[in-house]
Amino acid sequence: MSKHGAPTDTAAALAQLDGAGLKVAILAASWHEQVMNGLIDGAQRAAADAKIGTVDLVRVPGSFELPVAAKALAEKYDAVIALGVVIRGGTPHFDYVCQAATMGLTQVSLDTLTPIGFGVLTCDDEAQALDRAGLEGSAEDKGYEAFSAAVLTLAALA
Ligand code: DLZ
């Protein structure tokens, strides 16, 4: 997918929110540390832009574990931002982990009616992931985007 067509002025939309009363969980897997640190930082920047009252960071081992943790967190938080980095290897494992994370998070969101930000990078190589990590020199900032999407959806449904 390309960045072309993405919403503009997301920071301005976040600034309009009344985030002080909201409780949001950033749920992050632990693979690919440098990229993941960029995603977490982007999500935390978006939380600051929206002036979210409570932001907790919860870590799980891998992206496969995101759905079960998201479901538990969805019961306690207004929104959950799921962050993962999956990089293709030489076996079909990539496809299974990506599918489990994507389908699982979709199901959690629908079952709990809680917005889940989808910040799971599914990349062919580390260079693609770094380019989306919101780091200096990255073209995209997927942690910021995922956080914004979840809280703006929450606001739309209020
Ligand atoms: C096993 C595995 C592999 C090979 N690659 C990744 C990855 O690129 N990104 C990620 O988040 N997790 C990976 N995992 C771990 C699985 O998500 C999961 O944690 C394990 O299969 C244990 O359930």
Side-chain angles (χ1 to χ4, degrees):
M1 288 203 296
S2 101
K3 195 181 171 184
H4 179 71
T8 54
D9 280 345
T10 304
L14 291 182
Q16 302 285 321
L17 285 182
D18 183 9
L22 297 179
K23 206 174 157 192
V24 179
I26 298 173
L27 169 62
S30 304
W31 281 64
H32 309 291
E33 188 179 8
Q34 184 186 7
V35 177
M36 180 50 71
N37 286 344
L39 295 180
I40 293 170
D41 184 62
Q44 289 174 333
R45 272 187 281 108
D49 284 352
K51 300 185 183 61
I52 302 295
T54 301
V55 182
D56 293 329
L57 176 63
V58 177
R59 303 301 299 259
V60 290
S63 294
F64 187 82
E65 284 73 41
L66 290 171
V68 67
K71 183 150 194 182
L73 293 169
E75 287 165 12
K76 300 186 220 159
Y77 289 85
D78 298 305
V80 178
I81 318 307
L83 304 176
V85 184
V86 195
I87 298 186
R88 193 182 289 280
T91 72
H93 199 87
F94 172 87
D95 302 291
Y96 292 109
V97 171
C98 293
Q99 188 179 19
T102 307
M103 300 299 289
L105 291 170
T106 304
Q107 188 184 327
V108 169
S109 188
L110 296 174
D111 286 352
T112 63
L113 289 181
T114 302
I116 309 285
F118 185 69
V120 181
L121 301 185
T122 58
C123 298
D124 287 333
D125 53 41
E126 192 181 35
Q128 282 185 351
L130 286 167
D131 206 33
R132 289 157 177 77
L135 297 166
E136 202 175 320
S138 298
E140 298 183 62
D141 192 356
K142 293 296 184 188
Y144 191 100
E145 278 181 34
F147 194 102
S148 307
V151 296
L152 291 172
T153 300
L154 188 61
L157 298 177

